[in-house]
């Protein structure tokens, strides 16, 4: 069976990654979202085990010591990490995996899995990003400022990614991500047995 592909999706906080990815996953049956572990408290409406595995810092540190993370990083005062076991099992089962991770984690994954495909989701403008982050209403003003400062650094690193998708219209962003994933399955290297038979 063909292994699944690993897709890294990064983008500044507030750009709408979760909404875009939720819509994308509804239309790509063979793709699954990797649920990260985090030490940040759950926001209203977030479900443990669905949005994140919400864990105590001690539990997270145990996970690091046991090498349970494919990558992990600290972001605005909290830890976030990708569970290695889940990702490896799903890829082996032929499923595409989407990691919604920030740039330090993305760099770690690229190093370990150079065949991973990286996509950066950017806002249509800086002002719009600030508006969306504030409108969410679930972050404190101090947290918003920290996230905006971090967003600058992230956007400065966007050219290291394989693709850049602007989340202006949700439908358009989903269409572009879907097209990227489809195109990544149309590489000659994925058809080596067929090519070898020629
Ligand atoms: P939020 O607190 O807004 O849910 O996420 C903050 C940032 O952490 C986002 O940029 C998100 O992509 C990133 N993130 C979520 N899970 C992980 C993870 O497992 N590893 C890393 N490195 N970043 C993550």
């Amino acid at each position: 069976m063909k292994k699944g592909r690993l897709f890294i999706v990064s983008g500044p906080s507030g750009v709408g990654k979760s909404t875009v990815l939720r819509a994308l996953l509804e239309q790509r049956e063979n793709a699954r979202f990797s649920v990260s572990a985090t030490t940040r408290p759950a926001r209203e409406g977030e479900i443990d085990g669905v949005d994140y595995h919400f864990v105590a810092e001690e539990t997270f540190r145990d996970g690091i010591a046991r090498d349970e993370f494919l990558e992990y990083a600290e972001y605005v005062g909290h830890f976030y990490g990708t569970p290695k076991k889940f990702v490896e099992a799903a890829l082996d089962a032929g499923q595409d995996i989407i990691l919604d991770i920030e740039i330090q984690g993305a760099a770690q994954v690229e190093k370990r899995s150079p065949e991973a495909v990286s996509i950066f989701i950017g806002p249509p403008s800086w002002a719009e990003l600030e508006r969306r982050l504030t409108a969410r209403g679930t972050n404190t003003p101090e947290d918003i400022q920290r996230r905006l400062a971090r967003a600058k650094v992230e956007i400065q690193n966007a050219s290291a990614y394989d693709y850049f998708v602007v989340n202006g219209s949700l439908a358009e962003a989903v269409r572009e991500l879907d097209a990227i994933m489809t195109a990544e399955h149309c590489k000659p290297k994925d058809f080596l047995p067929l090519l070898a038979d020629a």
Side-chain angles (χ1 to χ4, degrees):
M1 184 201 289
K2 257 204 249 172
K3 265 188 90 164
R5 300 290 310 260
L6 188 55
F7 292 90
I8 302 168
V9 177
S10 299
S13 183
V15 79
K17 270 173 302 173
S18 329
T19 312
V20 170
L21 293 181
R22 212 173 296 128
L24 177 71
L25 283 161
E26 266 174 30
Q27 62 190 59
R28 290 201 73 94
E29 256 177 32
N30 196 41
R32 290 189 68 188
F33 178 68
S34 160
V35 180
S36 297
T38 183
T39 59
R40 94 149 155 72
R43 292 190 195 117
E44 210 182 305
E46 283 183 329
I47 302 169
D48 189 30
V50 175
D51 299 288
Y52 282 106
H53 300 291
F54 295 100
V55 299
E57 190 163 325
E58 201 187 331
T59 312
F60 197 97
R61 288 190 188 279
D62 284 348
I64 298 174
R66 285 199 293 263
D67 196 27
E68 285 175 0
F69 297 118
L70 181 65
E71 62 70 38
Y72 69 91
E74 201 182 337
Y75 177 95
V76 192
H78 297 289
F79 284 113
Y80 296 80
T82 301
K84 201 194 304 186
K85 231 186 189 165
F86 166 80
V87 172
E88 286 173 356
L91 290 174
D92 285 343
Q95 288 178 318
D96 287 342
I97 291 294
I98 298 177
L99 309 179
D100 168 355
I101 60 178
E102 51 68 68
I103 57 172
Q104 305 167 77
Q108 291 174 47
V109 176
E110 293 262 28
K111 217 170 177 178
R112 278 175 99 139
S113 311
E115 72 289 355
V117 178
S118 59
I119 307 164
F120 194 94
I121 303 188
S125 69
W126 192 254
E128 176 59 13
L129 180 66
E130 195 165 351
R131 193 196 65 72
R132 287 184 195 170
L133 201 49
T134 311
R136 186 151 78 176
T138 48
N139 299 92
T140 62
E142 193 206 4
D143 193 45
I144 291 172
Q145 286 317 311
R146 293 174 76 187
R147 282 168 184 261
L148 281 171
R150 190 66 172 243
K152 278 221 157 87
V153 178
E154 289 176 322
I155 292 176
Q156 282 160 5
N157 277 276
S159 52
Y161 283 68
D162 296 321
Y163 296 96
F164 191 93
V165 167
V166 174
N167 184 20
S169 123
L170 172 65
E172 182 67 14
V174 172
R175 199 159 42 238
E176 289 182 6
L177 281 161
D178 189 41
I180 291 166
M181 291 182 76
T182 299
E184 286 295 332
H185 278 286
C186 300
K187 300 277 186 177
K189 68 175 164 47
D190 290 332
F191 297 92
L192 287 182
L194 176 75
L195 301 181
D197 273 353

